[in-house]
Amino acid sequence: MTTTKLATTKVISTTPSKAPSTTLKQLILNTTISTTSKATTKPLTTTTSTTKITVPTTTVSNEPPNENEGYLFLRFRIIRVFIPQYYDPSSTEYKILEKNVTTELNRGYKLMYPLIFRRTILISFWPGSVGVTTQLIFDNQTVVPNLTNTEQSLRVAINESAVFLDIIPSSIEADLQIVNATTTNAQSSTATSAATTTTSKQTTTRTASQTSQTANTTSNSATARNRPKEVVTFLLPFILIYFLLTEKGLLLL
């Protein structure tokens, strides 16, 4: 008896697993996204923009000092021809020169006293060449520099070209009280008038003296000229008597 063994075939399932399928979808999706990205991506264009930086302008107040601030007055003369418009604060010429003076002094004194100096205000212009009276304002009166240092600071600033004004260094004067140019000019005019009056009096006295001397000289000259006449007048009667007596023979020889 023959025994036949049947071969048993083991069927292996070929059903794909879900994990690899999911991975493939992801790969396809990723590939599609990558392809689409490459197809639709445009070259990068670099745009350079220029940004304008605006530096804010600091406006310095020209207000008089308040009750808490300290100050002193500064006078000097600029080499410049004085014109009548400098008397008028509303004129263009006045405003231009005022702006120039205050800007330069603000820069110079801010460099010298950066922690205590605040601002400069203009008081007036006056002739000679162009006289300038200003007021320097500080944080308070206790920190105001002494007069000598204030004057010397401006001279140093001029020498180091920190202040661009044609200031006559010898004309720089600082004071705690304002000195009006009008008063100074009036005093100068009064002194000049007094000197002129004194000179006039001296001239008048000298002229009177000369006149008196001239009168005396004239009188002496007249007297000298009149003396022969006086002598003749005095001797004339005697001469007449002499001739009369001679004619009558009464004169004894």
Side-chain angles (χ1 to χ4, degrees), residues 65 69-75 109 113 117 119-121 123 133-138 141 143-151 173-178:
E69 293 175 325
Y71 60 86
L72 55 78
F73 296 95
L74 185 70
R75 300 174 71 247
Y109 278 103
Y113 306 103
F117 178 75
R119 63 188 180 278
T120 303
I121 62 173
I123 303 298
T133 300
T134 62
Q135 189 175 25
L136 305 181
I137 302 173
F138 298 83
Q141 199 63 39
V143 299
V144 173
N146 64 54
L147 303 181
T148 302
N149 288 345
T150 303
E151 296 171 355
E173 297 178 359
D175 205 328
L176 295 177
Q177 296 180 348
I178 189 170

Side-chain angles (χ1 to χ4, degrees), residues 66-114:
N66 59 44
E67 58 183 8
N68 297 322
E69 293 175 325
Y71 60 86
L72 55 78
F73 296 95
L74 185 70
R75 300 174 71 247
F76 52 86
R77 288 184 289 119
I78 301 176
I79 302 174
R80 182 187 289 255
V81 177
F82 189 88
I83 57 177
Q85 287 81 353
Y86 292 153
Y87 283 123
D88 183 10
S90 64
S91 68
T92 302
E93 292 81 0
Y94 182 101
K95 292 179 180 178
I96 291 174
L97 187 55
E98 177 188 23
K99 180 67 174 178
N100 188 18
V101 169
T102 55
T103 299
E104 294 299 323
L105 291 182
N106 283 340
R107 179 170 60 246
Y109 278 103
K110 198 66 177 176
L111 289 173
M112 296 295 177
Y113 306 103

